[in-house]
Amino acid sequence: MAATATQVDQLPRCTRPLKANFSFTISSDNGSRRGNVHVPGRKTIQTPHYLALSSRGIVSHLSQDTMREHTSITGLYTALEDFIEKAPYQVPPIFGTPASVQSSPLRRFIALQQDTLLVLGPRRSPPLPCPASNTNTAISIATAVGFRMLESIDYVEAVQNLRPDVVLGLADVVIGQRAGPKRTDKMGDRTLAWMKQLVAARVDEALPKMALFAPILPIEPEQQAYYLDDLEEDLREHLSGLFLYHASSILAIPENLSHLPRMSISEPNSPHALLYEISLGIDLFTIPFVCAATDAGIALDFTFPPPEPSTDVKGPRPLGIDMWSPEHGIDLSPLRDACRCYTCTNHHRAYVQHLLSAKEMLAWVLLQLHNHHVMDEFFTGVRRSIDENSFDHDRARFTKSYQPDLPAKTGQGPRIRGYQFKSEGKGEPRRNPVAYRPLVDEAVPSDAPSAKEQDLGQGAFPEQES
């Protein structure tokens, strides 16, 4: 059962802190931080690192067995709004998944391997702007069948039922626009009340002790001072981490909470933006541009630290390769030299370019495998650079070595789903091209012979002798 109003009012004095099955240790902190996230039964995540983004619990284009066998993904971010499109009129199927008390119905429903960290938040990353505003008791979400409200009490019950390793608290944030003065006054109060409901729900010691991450709001520190004071003084013992909607919000973190892991669910649009956030001390990331590059047919092509300058390369290197380009049609080289991913060790550019041209789904599977491997190597290099106290120098070299933005999309990617964009109303252009069209574009006169008749008229049958 979800927390009652009485339980919320009594927090935190009447709720004994429950120790979560989650630990974070910091090995170095010189602006950019090195650490380790450990959850029993899961792979230890060395930070800084990233969590793979999912759509309905699946990394786009990858089946779970493909992800398990051909990637090194150690953590997965899922969103509750992906699974509750039938609520409240029907019980979503995910809530009927059988599981023992000590296991996660969410993990079983999406068939996620046991050693991968499972993180649950209310909304996707990045979230789709919703037409309705949040209320005192609910946030606006976008499901596969439209927009609706998610009540705080329903989110608490979902968390109790699904039992992920890490749960992100509800936050009253404005998506897609700047919050006005009146709205910012409400954001801290609403978020605090929702956090207290989540804390009150963790009193059942028979359930797995999920780690709770509290939001740091994307507003000025003085505008959320009351909320931050309560986090620091009253809820500190209940928290396992913090998450941020904007990297600059890291300046608002109270000193007594600085030892907690920091997760960014901002929208970095390039590795340059990632390096900036790492320099501020962010530990975990969600990175939308990885899947966006895959959908666009772009193979990521960067390393950290960057390679030494070469006379063969003039100017900054591109951050990726547009695999739609016809120039790859006869290129038998791997997507990236010396890359050890499944795609580069088994296939070549010409094959991937052919698959894209033929609109074969395998093209995006191979690109997704390659792009996640590039990100794994990128963060491995970042951690090594921090350990060697050369991160700032290597970051400056990276900035000079690579172009500031990823290549522009030139080809048509997979079909866009309705929950991936917000409709602006009548008259907007098609988001997906027309899949089928008439074989003959111009109208054919009714008395004109058909193609079959024309063939017959050209001697399909021998003429009869007179």
Side-chain angles (χ1 to χ4, degrees):
M1 295 295 291
T4 64
T6 302
Q7 286 176 301
V8 174
D9 292 340
Q10 291 175 341
L11 276 170
R13 298 180 180 83
C14 295
T15 300
R16 181 169 60 86
L18 294 180
K19 194 68 173 178
N21 293 327
F22 182 98
S23 63
F24 176 68
T25 56
I26 301 174
S27 56
S28 66
D29 186 355
N30 296 314
S32 51
R33 307 203 306 181
R34 278 283 282 118
N36 292 281
V37 171
H38 179 70
V39 175
R42 313 288 181 252
K43 296 176 183 176
T44 297
I45 300 178
Q46 298 186 53
T47 61
H49 211 345
Y50 73 100
L51 302 175
L53 289 173
S54 68
S55 174
R56 297 184 67 85
I58 304 296
V59 177
S60 297
H61 312 297
L62 301 183
S63 62
Q64 295 291 28
D65 58 336
T66 300
M67 187 183 83
R68 178 175 59 252
E69 294 172 9
H70 300 299
T71 75
S72 300
I73 292 173
T74 55
L76 186 72
Y77 177 85
T78 59
L80 183 63
E81 67 180 356
D82 273 336
F83 304 100
I84 57 174
E85 66 273 7
K86 295 183 180 295
Y89 306 106
Q90 298 181 35
V91 177
I94 193 171
F95 294 132
T97 305
S100 66
V101 174
Q102 294 299 320
S103 62
S104 167
L106 173 58
R107 185 181 295 274
R108 293 201 63 188
F109 186 81
I110 63 177
L112 182 65
Q113 60 204 64
Q114 289 295 321
D115 59 358
T116 301
L117 185 74
L118 179 57
V119 180
L120 177 66
R123 305 215 57 198
R124 300 180 191 91
S125 177
L128 186 69
C130 298
S133 299
N134 300 339
T135 68
N136 289 336
T137 62
I139 66 169
S140 186
I141 63 173
T143 71
V145 296
F147 300 104
R148 53 159 292 199
M149 304 302 292
L150 173 63
E151 295 287 336
S152 174
I153 193 170
D154 293 333
Y155 183 63
V156 170
E157 291 180 347
V159 166
Q160 289 178 303
N161 287 328
L162 300 180
R163 302 192 287 277
D165 298 318
V166 177
V167 58
L168 306 189
L170 282 184
D172 181 32
V173 295
V174 180
I175 305 298
Q177 57 184 327
R178 187 177 182 86
K182 293 183 179 179
R183 181 60 185 276
T184 55
D185 292 339
K186 300 178 182 178
M187 292 170 67
D189 294 339
R190 288 175 174 175
T191 304
L192 179 61
W194 298 339
M195 281 297 301
K196 288 187 173 183
Q197 279 188 313
L198 268 175
V199 170
R202 298 174 73 243
V203 298
D204 189 351
E205 295 192 40
L207 297 176
K209 301 174 181 61
M210 297 168 285
L212 177 59
F213 278 37
I216 301 297
L217 301 174
I219 55 179
E220 296 298 326
E222 57 271 15
Q223 294 175 317
Q224 54 181 322
Y226 176 75
Y227 165 69
L228 295 173
D229 288 343
D230 265 53
L231 286 186
E232 184 178 16
E233 298 174 5
D234 298 334
L235 300 182
R236 180 176 56 180
E237 297 301 322
H238 301 275
L239 302 180
S240 297
L242 306 169
F243 70 96
L244 301 84
Y245 289 90
H246 196 281
S248 62
S249 300
I250 198 169
L251 301 176
I253 296 178
E255 180 65 28
N256 288 340
L257 301 180
S258 61
H259 65 286
L260 297 175
R262 305 157 181 173
M263 175 180 169
S264 171
I265 57 172
S266 63
E267 302 176 33
N269 57 6
S270 71
H272 299 286
L274 277 177
L275 292 173
Y276 168 71
E277 295 192 11
I278 291 171
S279 71
L280 296 179
I282 304 294
D283 304 299
L284 293 169
F285 301 85
T286 56
I287 312 176
F289 75 72
V290 178
C291 291
T294 298
D295 287 348
I298 294 171
L300 298 180
D301 185 21
F302 52 83
T303 60
F304 191 89
E308 295 297 330
S310 172
T311 56
D312 298 333
V313 179
K314 296 182 179 180
R317 301 169 183 262
L319 292 169
I321 305 166
D322 180 10
M323 295 307 301
W324 287 96
S325 176
E327 69 183 24
H328 303 302
I330 56 173
D331 190 343
L332 302 184
S333 62
L335 303 188
R336 189 178 69 167
D337 292 337
C339 180
R340 303 306 303 167
C341 75
Y342 173 85
T343 303
C344 290
T345 54
N346 291 277
H347 304 289
H348 45 65
R349 295 187 183 192
Y351 181 59
V352 175
Q353 200 274 341
H354 160 71
L355 293 174
L356 284 172
S357 300
K359 305 296 191 298
E360 286 285 351
M361 292 188 296
L362 180 58
W364 290 285
V365 174
L366 296 177
L367 284 171
Q368 191 76 300
L369 291 174
H370 169 80
N371 288 344
H372 278 83
H373 180 80
V374 170
M375 293 311 306
D376 287 330
E377 289 195 333
F378 174 82
F379 276 99
T380 298
V382 166
R383 293 191 295 270
R384 185 185 305 116
S385 178
I386 295 174
D387 291 338
E388 295 173 355
N389 294 320
S390 61
F391 176 77
D392 292 336
H393 173 70
D394 292 337
R395 179 189 167 201
R397 287 181 51 224
F398 188 92
T399 302
K400 294 180 180 179
S401 299
Y402 288 101
Q403 296 175 2
D405 301 310
L406 290 166
K409 176 182 176 180
T410 61
Q412 176 63 38
R415 290 184 64 82
I416 300 175
R417 283 76 170 176
Y419 56 82
Q420 292 178 308
F421 67 93
K422 180 182 177 181
S423 176
E424 302 297 337
K426 295 182 179 180
E428 62 181 330
R430 281 180 174 269
R431 302 300 178 112
N432 295 305
V434 177
Y436 303 99
R437 64 181 186 276
L439 294 178
V440 180
D441 294 333
E442 297 181 359
V444 179
S446 59
D447 59 346
S450 65
K452 184 175 182 180
E453 290 173 336
Q454 291 177 352
D455 291 341
L456 292 176
Q458 295 173 358
F461 294 102
E463 294 183 3
Q464 186 176 2
E465 296 181 359
S466 57

Short mmCIF file of all heavy atoms in Angstrom, two decimals, residues 145-182:
data_model
loop_
_atom_site.label_atom_id
_atom_site.label_comp_id
_atom_site.label_asym_id
_atom_site.label_seq_id
_atom_site.Cartn_x
_atom_site.Cartn_y
_atom_site.Cartn_z
N VAL A 145 -0.04 5.77 -26.04
CA VAL A 145 -1.35 6.07 -26.61
C VAL A 145 -1.82 7.48 -26.27
O VAL A 145 -2.98 7.81 -26.50
CB VAL A 145 -2.40 5.03 -26.13
CG1 VAL A 145 -2.07 3.66 -26.63
CG2 VAL A 145 -2.51 5.03 -24.60
N GLY A 146 -0.95 8.30 -25.72
CA GLY A 146 -1.34 9.68 -25.46
C GLY A 146 -0.85 10.18 -24.12
O GLY A 146 -0.16 9.48 -23.36
N PHE A 147 -1.21 11.42 -23.81
CA PHE A 147 -0.79 12.06 -22.57
C PHE A 147 -1.77 11.73 -21.45
O PHE A 147 -2.96 11.54 -21.68
CB PHE A 147 -0.73 13.58 -22.75
CG PHE A 147 0.22 14.02 -23.81
CD1 PHE A 147 -0.23 14.46 -25.06
CD2 PHE A 147 1.59 14.01 -23.59
CE1 PHE A 147 0.65 14.87 -26.04
CE2 PHE A 147 2.48 14.42 -24.57
CZ PHE A 147 2.00 14.85 -25.81
N ARG A 148 -1.24 11.67 -20.23
CA ARG A 148 -2.08 11.45 -19.06
C ARG A 148 -1.32 11.92 -17.83
O ARG A 148 -0.15 12.34 -17.91
CB ARG A 148 -2.46 9.97 -18.91
CG ARG A 148 -1.28 9.02 -18.92
CD ARG A 148 -1.60 7.69 -18.28
NE ARG A 148 -1.82 7.84 -16.85
CZ ARG A 148 -1.76 6.82 -15.98
NH1 ARG A 148 -1.51 5.60 -16.40
NH2 ARG A 148 -1.95 7.01 -14.69
N MET A 149 -1.98 11.85 -16.68
CA MET A 149 -1.36 12.24 -15.42
C MET A 149 -0.93 11.01 -14.65
O MET A 149 -1.64 10.00 -14.64
CB MET A 149 -2.32 13.09 -14.59
CG MET A 149 -2.85 14.33 -15.27
SD MET A 149 -1.56 15.47 -15.83
CE MET A 149 -0.91 16.04 -14.24
N LEU A 150 0.22 11.09 -14.02
CA LEU A 150 0.71 10.03 -13.14
C LEU A 150 0.67 10.55 -11.71
O LEU A 150 1.45 11.43 -11.35
CB LEU A 150 2.13 9.61 -13.52
CG LEU A 150 2.83 8.64 -12.58
CD1 LEU A 150 2.09 7.29 -12.53
CD2 LEU A 150 4.29 8.42 -13.00
N GLU A 151 -0.22 10.00 -10.92
CA GLU A 151 -0.34 10.42 -9.53
C GLU A 151 0.87 9.94 -8.73
O GLU A 151 1.39 8.85 -8.96
CB GLU A 151 -1.62 9.85 -8.91
CG GLU A 151 -2.91 10.40 -9.50
CD GLU A 151 -3.17 11.83 -9.08
OE1 GLU A 151 -2.66 12.25 -8.03
OE2 GLU A 151 -3.89 12.54 -9.83
N SER A 152 1.28 10.74 -7.78
CA SER A 152 2.42 10.38 -6.94
C SER A 152 2.17 9.07 -6.21
O SER A 152 3.06 8.21 -6.12
CB SER A 152 2.71 11.49 -5.93
OG SER A 152 3.71 11.10 -5.01
N ILE A 153 0.96 8.88 -5.72
CA ILE A 153 0.65 7.66 -4.98
C ILE A 153 0.72 6.43 -5.89
O ILE A 153 1.11 5.34 -5.47
CB ILE A 153 -0.74 7.78 -4.30
CG1 ILE A 153 -0.95 6.65 -3.28
CG2 ILE A 153 -1.87 7.80 -5.32
CD1 ILE A 153 -2.17 6.85 -2.43
N ASP A 154 0.37 6.61 -7.18
CA ASP A 154 0.46 5.50 -8.13
C ASP A 154 1.92 5.19 -8.45
O ASP A 154 2.28 4.01 -8.66
CB ASP A 154 -0.29 5.84 -9.41
CG ASP A 154 -1.79 5.94 -9.21
OD1 ASP A 154 -2.30 5.28 -8.28
OD2 ASP A 154 -2.45 6.67 -9.99
N TYR A 155 2.76 6.21 -8.50
CA TYR A 155 4.18 5.97 -8.75
C TYR A 155 4.80 5.19 -7.58
O TYR A 155 5.59 4.27 -7.78
CB TYR A 155 4.90 7.30 -8.94
CG TYR A 155 6.37 7.16 -9.28
CD1 TYR A 155 6.77 6.55 -10.45
CD2 TYR A 155 7.37 7.66 -8.43
CE1 TYR A 155 8.12 6.42 -10.78
CE2 TYR A 155 8.71 7.54 -8.75
CZ TYR A 155 9.07 6.92 -9.93
OH TYR A 155 10.41 6.79 -10.24
N VAL A 156 4.41 5.55 -6.38
CA VAL A 156 4.91 4.84 -5.20
C VAL A 156 4.51 3.37 -5.26
O VAL A 156 5.33 2.47 -5.02
CB VAL A 156 4.39 5.50 -3.91
CG1 VAL A 156 4.70 4.63 -2.70
CG2 VAL A 156 5.01 6.89 -3.73
N GLU A 157 3.26 3.09 -5.59
CA GLU A 157 2.80 1.71 -5.66
C GLU A 157 3.51 0.94 -6.78
O GLU A 157 3.84 -0.24 -6.63
CB GLU A 157 1.29 1.68 -5.87
CG GLU A 157 0.50 2.15 -4.65
CD GLU A 157 -1.01 2.12 -4.88
OE1 GLU A 157 -1.40 1.97 -6.06
OE2 GLU A 157 -1.76 2.24 -3.91
N ALA A 158 3.76 1.62 -7.91
CA ALA A 158 4.47 0.97 -9.01
C ALA A 158 5.89 0.60 -8.59
O ALA A 158 6.39 -0.49 -8.91
CB ALA A 158 4.49 1.89 -10.23
N VAL A 159 6.56 1.50 -7.88
CA VAL A 159 7.91 1.23 -7.42
C VAL A 159 7.92 0.03 -6.47
O VAL A 159 8.79 -0.85 -6.56
CB VAL A 159 8.49 2.48 -6.72
CG1 VAL A 159 9.75 2.14 -5.94
CG2 VAL A 159 8.78 3.58 -7.75
N GLN A 160 6.95 -0.02 -5.57
CA GLN A 160 6.88 -1.15 -4.65
C GLN A 160 6.64 -2.46 -5.39
O GLN A 160 7.17 -3.51 -5.00
CB GLN A 160 5.76 -0.91 -3.63
CG GLN A 160 6.07 0.18 -2.62
CD GLN A 160 4.90 0.42 -1.67
OE1 GLN A 160 3.78 0.71 -2.11
NE2 GLN A 160 5.16 0.27 -0.39
N ASN A 161 5.84 -2.42 -6.44
CA ASN A 161 5.54 -3.64 -7.19
C ASN A 161 6.68 -4.08 -8.09
O ASN A 161 6.96 -5.28 -8.20
CB ASN A 161 4.28 -3.43 -8.04
CG ASN A 161 3.01 -3.39 -7.21
OD1 ASN A 161 2.92 -4.05 -6.19
ND2 ASN A 161 2.03 -2.61 -7.65
N LEU A 162 7.36 -3.14 -8.73
CA LEU A 162 8.35 -3.47 -9.76
C LEU A 162 9.74 -3.71 -9.19
O LEU A 162 10.54 -4.41 -9.78
CB LEU A 162 8.40 -2.37 -10.82
CG LEU A 162 7.08 -2.13 -11.55
CD1 LEU A 162 7.24 -1.01 -12.58
CD2 LEU A 162 6.59 -3.41 -12.22
N ARG A 163 10.07 -3.10 -8.08
CA ARG A 163 11.30 -3.35 -7.32
C ARG A 163 12.58 -3.30 -8.17
O ARG A 163 13.30 -4.30 -8.29
CB ARG A 163 11.20 -4.69 -6.59
CG ARG A 163 10.03 -4.78 -5.65
CD ARG A 163 10.10 -5.98 -4.74
NE ARG A 163 9.84 -7.24 -5.41
CZ ARG A 163 8.62 -7.73 -5.65
NH1 ARG A 163 7.55 -7.06 -5.28
NH2 ARG A 163 8.47 -8.88 -6.25
N PRO A 164 12.90 -2.14 -8.76
CA PRO A 164 14.19 -1.99 -9.46
C PRO A 164 15.32 -1.89 -8.45
O PRO A 164 15.10 -1.82 -7.23
CB PRO A 164 14.00 -0.69 -10.23
CG PRO A 164 13.08 0.11 -9.35
CD PRO A 164 12.13 -0.89 -8.75
N ASP A 165 16.55 -1.84 -8.93
CA ASP A 165 17.70 -1.63 -8.04
C ASP A 165 17.76 -0.19 -7.56
O ASP A 165 18.09 0.07 -6.40
CB ASP A 165 19.01 -1.98 -8.77
CG ASP A 165 19.08 -3.43 -9.19
OD1 ASP A 165 18.67 -4.30 -8.39
OD2 ASP A 165 19.52 -3.70 -10.31
N VAL A 166 17.48 0.73 -8.47
CA VAL A 166 17.54 2.17 -8.16
C VAL A 166 16.26 2.81 -8.66
O VAL A 166 15.80 2.52 -9.77
CB VAL A 166 18.76 2.84 -8.83
CG1 VAL A 166 18.75 4.34 -8.56
CG2 VAL A 166 20.06 2.21 -8.36
N VAL A 167 15.66 3.66 -7.84
CA VAL A 167 14.46 4.39 -8.24
C VAL A 167 14.73 5.89 -8.13
O VAL A 167 15.35 6.36 -7.17
CB VAL A 167 13.24 3.98 -7.39
CG1 VAL A 167 13.50 4.23 -5.89
CG2 VAL A 167 12.00 4.74 -7.81
N LEU A 168 14.31 6.63 -9.14
CA LEU A 168 14.43 8.08 -9.14
C LEU A 168 13.15 8.69 -8.61
O LEU A 168 12.05 8.28 -8.98
CB LEU A 168 14.69 8.62 -10.55
CG LEU A 168 15.87 8.03 -11.33
CD1 LEU A 168 16.10 8.82 -12.61
CD2 LEU A 168 17.14 8.00 -10.49
N GLY A 169 13.28 9.66 -7.73
CA GLY A 169 12.11 10.31 -7.16
C GLY A 169 11.39 11.18 -8.17
O GLY A 169 11.98 11.65 -9.15
N LEU A 170 10.09 11.40 -7.93
CA LEU A 170 9.33 12.31 -8.76
C LEU A 170 9.83 13.74 -8.54
O LEU A 170 10.17 14.13 -7.42
CB LEU A 170 7.84 12.26 -8.41
CG LEU A 170 7.00 11.10 -8.94
CD1 LEU A 170 5.55 11.31 -8.57
CD2 LEU A 170 7.14 10.96 -10.44
N ALA A 171 9.85 14.51 -9.61
CA ALA A 171 10.28 15.91 -9.51
C ALA A 171 9.30 16.78 -10.28
O ALA A 171 8.83 16.40 -11.36
CB ALA A 171 11.69 16.09 -10.07
N ASP A 172 8.99 17.92 -9.73
CA ASP A 172 8.12 18.88 -10.40
C ASP A 172 8.99 19.79 -11.25
O ASP A 172 9.50 20.82 -10.78
CB ASP A 172 7.34 19.69 -9.36
CG ASP A 172 6.39 20.69 -10.01
OD1 ASP A 172 5.88 20.38 -11.10
OD2 ASP A 172 6.17 21.77 -9.44
N VAL A 173 9.20 19.39 -12.51
CA VAL A 173 10.02 20.18 -13.42
C VAL A 173 9.19 20.54 -14.66
O VAL A 173 8.22 19.86 -15.00
CB VAL A 173 11.29 19.40 -13.85
CG1 VAL A 173 12.19 19.16 -12.66
CG2 VAL A 173 10.92 18.08 -14.51
N VAL A 174 9.60 21.61 -15.29
CA VAL A 174 8.95 22.08 -16.51
C VAL A 174 9.81 21.65 -17.69
O VAL A 174 10.99 21.98 -17.75
CB VAL A 174 8.78 23.61 -16.50
CG1 VAL A 174 8.10 24.08 -17.78
CG2 VAL A 174 7.98 24.04 -15.28
N ILE A 175 9.23 20.89 -18.62
CA ILE A 175 9.97 20.35 -19.76
C ILE A 175 9.75 21.25 -20.98
O ILE A 175 8.62 21.58 -21.33
CB ILE A 175 9.51 18.92 -20.09
CG1 ILE A 175 9.63 18.03 -18.84
CG2 ILE A 175 10.32 18.35 -21.24
CD1 ILE A 175 11.03 17.89 -18.31
N GLY A 176 10.84 21.64 -21.62
CA GLY A 176 10.74 22.35 -22.89
C GLY A 176 10.60 23.86 -22.78
O GLY A 176 10.55 24.54 -23.81
N GLN A 177 10.50 24.40 -21.59
CA GLN A 177 10.41 25.85 -21.43
C GLN A 177 10.92 26.24 -20.04
O GLN A 177 11.11 25.38 -19.18
CB GLN A 177 8.97 26.33 -21.61
CG GLN A 177 7.96 25.68 -20.69
CD GLN A 177 6.54 26.13 -20.98
OE1 GLN A 177 6.31 27.25 -21.39
NE2 GLN A 177 5.58 25.24 -20.78
N ARG A 178 11.12 27.52 -19.84
CA ARG A 178 11.65 28.02 -18.58
C ARG A 178 10.51 28.23 -17.59
O ARG A 178 9.46 28.78 -17.94
CB ARG A 178 12.40 29.34 -18.81
CG ARG A 178 13.13 29.85 -17.58
CD ARG A 178 13.89 31.12 -17.92
NE ARG A 178 14.64 31.61 -16.78
CZ ARG A 178 15.85 31.22 -16.46
NH1 ARG A 178 16.45 30.31 -17.20
NH2 ARG A 178 16.48 31.72 -15.40
N ALA A 179 10.72 27.79 -16.36
CA ALA A 179 9.70 27.96 -15.32
C ALA A 179 9.63 29.41 -14.88
O ALA A 179 10.66 30.06 -14.68
CB ALA A 179 10.01 27.05 -14.13
N GLY A 180 8.42 29.92 -14.71
CA GLY A 180 8.22 31.28 -14.24
C GLY A 180 8.40 31.39 -12.74
O GLY A 180 8.51 30.38 -12.03
N PRO A 181 8.42 32.61 -12.20
CA PRO A 181 8.64 32.82 -10.76
C PRO A 181 7.60 32.11 -9.89
O PRO A 181 7.95 31.54 -8.85
CB PRO A 181 8.56 34.34 -10.60
CG PRO A 181 8.86 34.89 -11.96
CD PRO A 181 8.33 33.89 -12.94
N LYS A 182 6.33 32.14 -10.29
CA LYS A 182 5.31 31.49 -9.48
C LYS A 182 5.49 29.98 -9.47
O LYS A 182 5.26 29.33 -8.46
CB LYS A 182 3.92 31.86 -9.99
CG LYS A 182 3.55 33.33 -9.81
CD LYS A 182 2.13 33.61 -10.27
CE LYS A 182 1.75 35.07 -10.05
NZ LYS A 182 0.36 35.35 -10.52
#
